[in-house]
Amino acid sequence: MRNVKASPTNTPHWQKLAKLHAQYQSQSIEQLNDLSANGGQCIDAAGLSVDLSRNFVNQVIVDELVALAKTQGMPEKINQLIAGEEVNNTEARAAHHTALRLPDSAQTRADVGETQQKIKALADNLRNKSWRGSNDTEITDVVNIGIGGSDLGPRMACNALSSMTTDGPKVHFVANIDPRDLETVLQGLKPASTLILISSKSFNTTETLENALSARRWLLEAIPQSDLSKHVIAVSSNVEKAVAFGVDADNILPMWDWVGGRYSLWSAIGLPIAIAIGYEGFRELLDGAHAMDEHFATAPVENNLPCLLALLEVWYVNFCNAHSSAVLPYSHELGLFPDYLQQLTMESNGKQVHKDGSPVLSRTCPTIWGSAGTIGQHSFHQLLHQGTELIPVDFILPLHSHSDEHSKQAHLVANCLAQSKALTEGKSEASATQELADSGLSDAAIAELASHKASPGNRPNTIIAMDKLTPSNLGALVALYEHKVYAASVVWDINAFDQWGVELGKQLSTPIFAALTGDDSASTDKTTAFWIKRFTQQ
Ligand code: F6P
């Protein structure tokens, strides 16, 4: 029996929020958000300071959103996640990634502790050069072959923490089945000094297996088969398949079905991070995430950062008609963070049915996009300021840099703060008119230009700041968004931990691949047949 009662749209809070939107929609953020008058409303947790004062809410709206969250069972659902209960109902699994970042003293899963020791040993051996390749060659390069959660998290983190990647081997990432991805990475490398790390929870992903096969062929062109175990390791929960592929059993680090792919950078999938920055740095990353877990588990909903960010998302998507949300890191090293967040958020909450299978009656996950500031300012920010879409923005702002160039860092911070201010306050047509008059333009020219130069402002944004981009702060940032995603799924009553939608494309590609490579028995639609013909005729 489907429990449509779980739909948030059936709660009195939903109706109240719609009324509040109608009541306040003509106000500006500054009029509405009395909190901004106090110079910002920052909530600090786990090394992050989150300024919510430029959001289109007031206390009445926040209270109603919090009441909605409580009606949807937020505190109990947080407890279920943290306790490792079966929150992923369609796959009958827990989503216990928080267990991976518990301090050693609180760790109850022996297998997690043992795996962390293996990660440490491997990273140490590679960094202190005691892991040797064929002919006693030093390993200078590690190539991570994986895709989705087995790529985006470690790739993003290695990029973010690149200021710490001294001493160890250089870590590369290959994800795409496009042959040029692997080829361009291998181009500058030598087999004898390269370690291939096959990362695949399922060990069943076509892209990863095809790339792993190509990489093995490349290794075997230069090293004997008997030395392959010095050059191939794997991370997988499917040890049997990894062994059948030819990976030495001693070279396989385990994963578990209670860790979702996009939540797995804390597991052995994070091995490239430990190799790149050292195990101590990796442990700091886990500790930062754990500090955010503690906040999520203990702070009341009204003061709970992941919950508040999730509730703001619900408010903008379901009541203010926002279709997308931008994440703009003012840190070049966090340039891959939006890509990472796309999988985390959209693969988790891009859902159209409730946990019981009944259709959702409201929109769910917005489109997530963005790139590093200030580059986007000279590109898509135009639409943020003057376009017709309402796009809430998260600014991610490490206040200080690992670089000594203080003046450039001050420019970076100034630009971030200026963008936040411009989005909020905009520029009225009256002040555009005044500016044009001051520059000596004629009345006719002013009348023609003023409306083009005006910016409406009133575009909600949040500043998520930290002192510096350290492993600990990065861990807290990632955990903040992981929990935000879960908290939003609780409000919408959807399963954040499955991804059935991605399966259809995989299924359909198999017969098309067969047709492209010579099997003409497959029947297909006209469009696909047309392109198969074009491909095979060449
Ligand atoms: O296709 C999506 C997906 O299933 C992701 O959820 C996952 O992170 C990725 O593929 C890779 O899967 P695996 O680690 O099993 O190769």
Side-chain angles (χ1 to χ4, degrees):
M1 175 72 180
R2 288 182 170 177
N3 175 21
V4 283
K5 281 205 189 105
S7 171
T9 54
N10 291 336
T11 65
H13 308 296
W14 198 269
Q15 322 308 328
K16 182 76 192 293
L17 284 161
K19 282 192 186 136
L20 288 172
H21 180 255
Q23 181 181 343
Y24 291 118
Q25 63 178 335
S26 59
Q27 293 203 1
S28 70
I29 288 176
E30 287 152 306
Q31 287 167 330
L32 185 66
N33 193 339
D34 30 11
L35 303 161
S36 63
N38 303 328
Q41 187 210 18
C42 255
I43 299 181
D44 290 353
L48 305 183
S49 292
V50 182
D51 184 348
L52 299 165
S53 66
R54 284 173 167 160
N55 279 285
F56 187 75
V57 285
N58 61 9
Q59 200 56 55
V60 180
I61 295 168
V62 171
D63 289 348
E64 205 56 45
L65 287 165
V66 168
L68 172 67
K70 288 183 178 166
T71 301
Q72 293 301 93
M74 188 68 77
E76 305 85 69
K77 300 268 169 72
I78 293 174
N79 288 342
Q80 287 170 6
L81 177 84
I82 305 275
E85 289 182 26
E86 195 182 288
V87 289
N88 178 353
N89 61 312
T90 65
E91 296 179 308
R93 288 173 185 169
H96 209 190
H97 39 282
T98 53
L100 297 168
R101 47 223 196 191
L102 285 168
D104 292 344
S105 54
Q107 188 53 262
T108 52
R109 289 183 183 264
D111 46 1
V112 171
E114 281 161 22
T115 305
Q116 286 173 344
Q117 284 316 306
K118 282 189 187 161
I119 296 172
K120 179 173 173 0
L122 246 161
D124 285 353
N125 290 344
L126 281 160
R127 290 174 64 81
N128 67 25
K129 307 184 195 331
S130 57
W131 181 295
R132 311 298 290 182
S134 188
N135 265 336
D136 199 31
T137 314
E138 177 187 333
I139 298 294
T140 55
D141 296 90
V142 174
V143 179
N144 186 84
I145 296 180
I147 197 164
S150 302
D151 166 72
L152 290 162
R155 189 195 287 257
M156 176 278 294
C158 285
N159 213 47
L161 302 172
S162 57
S163 63
M164 297 177 61
T165 54
T166 45
D167 301 338
K170 196 166 178 337
V171 180
H172 312 259
F173 292 88
V174 170
N176 206 330
I177 200 159
D178 182 333
R180 293 299 296 144
D181 191 6
L182 181 69
E183 282 167 16
T184 44
V185 167
L186 295 186
Q187 237 157 38
L189 309 185
K190 294 194 175 68
S193 54
T194 301
L195 180 75
I196 302 290
L197 164 52
I198 310 170
S199 277
S200 177
K201 180 179 168 184
S202 61
F203 223 86
N204 213 12
T205 304
T206 307
E207 291 91 334
T208 301
L209 297 185
E210 287 292 324
N211 277 326
L213 282 170
S214 306
R216 186 169 62 185
R217 277 196 296 273
W218 174 79
L219 287 172
L220 289 174
E221 278 167 18
I223 61 163
Q225 172 92 33
S226 55
D227 277 353
L228 210 53
S229 64
K230 297 175 182 168
H231 294 273
V232 182
I233 62 174
V235 177
S236 186
S237 62
N238 193 343
V239 175
E240 231 170 63
K241 260 204 108 179
V243 169
F245 179 89
V247 186
D248 198 301
D250 290 339
N251 283 356
I252 302 170
L253 279 80
M255 254 196 95
W256 307 277
D257 68 358
W258 46 266
V259 180
R262 54 193 173 275
Y263 298 85
S264 66
L265 77 87
W266 324 100
S267 70
I269 293 289
L271 177 61
I273 309 168
I275 295 171
I277 66 168
Y279 186 79
E280 290 66 31
F282 181 65
R283 184 66 244 184
E284 277 177 39
L285 182 84
L286 303 185
D287 292 342
H290 175 68
M292 184 55 72
D293 296 341
E294 294 266 275
H295 168 79
F296 187 50
T298 56
V301 175
E302 44 272 46
N303 221 19
N304 189 308
L305 280 176
C307 289
L308 289 171
L309 293 181
L311 290 171
L312 286 169
E313 182 160 276
V314 169
W315 171 243
Y316 295 130
V317 167
N318 297 124
F319 300 95
C320 304
N321 202 27
H323 291 83
S324 81
S325 176
V327 179
L328 309 177
Y330 272 67
S331 154
H332 199 72
E333 290 164 323
L334 277 175
L336 296 180
F337 195 64
D339 300 37
Y340 167 77
L341 269 194
Q342 284 185 329
Q343 188 202 15
L344 176 65
T345 313
M346 298 201 278
E347 201 176 52
S348 296
N349 284 349
K351 307 287 164 65
Q352 54 167 351
V353 294
H354 289 302
K355 287 189 84 171
D356 66 3
S358 59
V360 294
L361 304 173
S362 66
R363 283 191 290 119
T364 58
C365 188
T367 306
I368 304 294
W369 60 281
S371 67
T374 62
I375 294 170
Q377 287 178 212
H378 302 271
S379 159
F380 57 78
H381 281 226
Q382 166 62 32
L383 180 143
L384 296 177
H385 292 291
Q386 288 188 314
T388 50
E389 289 284 311
L390 174 80
I391 303 174
V393 172
D394 283 357
F395 291 103
I396 316 281
L397 181 61
L399 290 167
H400 302 109
S401 167
H402 292 284
S403 158
D404 294 333
E405 294 230 44
H406 300 300
S407 161
K408 280 171 81 180
Q409 177 65 15
H411 271 301
L412 184 69
V413 175
N415 272 280
C416 179
L417 297 178
Q419 290 296 312
S420 168
K421 187 173 165 67
L423 286 171
T424 313
E425 296 173 7
K427 180 191 280 186
S428 68
E429 202 164 322
S431 66
T433 303
Q434 189 59 52
E435 263 182 29
L436 291 167
D438 291 347
S439 70
L441 251 65
S442 69
D443 284 355
I446 293 171
E448 204 173 304
L449 272 181
S451 65
H452 293 275
K453 297 199 89 171
S455 274
N458 223 18
R459 313 243 152 157
N461 60 90
T462 299
I463 297 173
I464 300 174
M466 63 190 80
D467 180 35
K468 260 189 186 177
L469 188 53
T470 59
S472 170
N473 288 338
L474 179 66
L477 181 70
V478 173
L480 171 72
Y481 277 98
E482 283 182 348
H483 294 322
K484 172 199 167 176
V485 165
Y486 178 64
S489 81
V490 167
V491 176
W492 286 317
D493 185 42
I494 55 179
N495 183 353
F497 301 111
D498 59 12
Q499 58 282 319
W500 299 107
V502 300
E503 296 306 321
L504 178 61
K506 290 186 196 171
Q507 276 168 14
L508 294 181
S509 80
T510 306
I512 298 174
F513 172 77
L516 290 172
T517 50
D519 175 2
D520 46 19
S521 66
S523 68
T524 188
D525 65 282
K526 277 193 200 149
T527 303
T528 312
F530 169 81
W531 288 109
I532 290 171
K533 203 166 161 202
R534 278 286 283 271
F535 179 86
T536 49
Q537 274 172 352
Q538 279 183 3

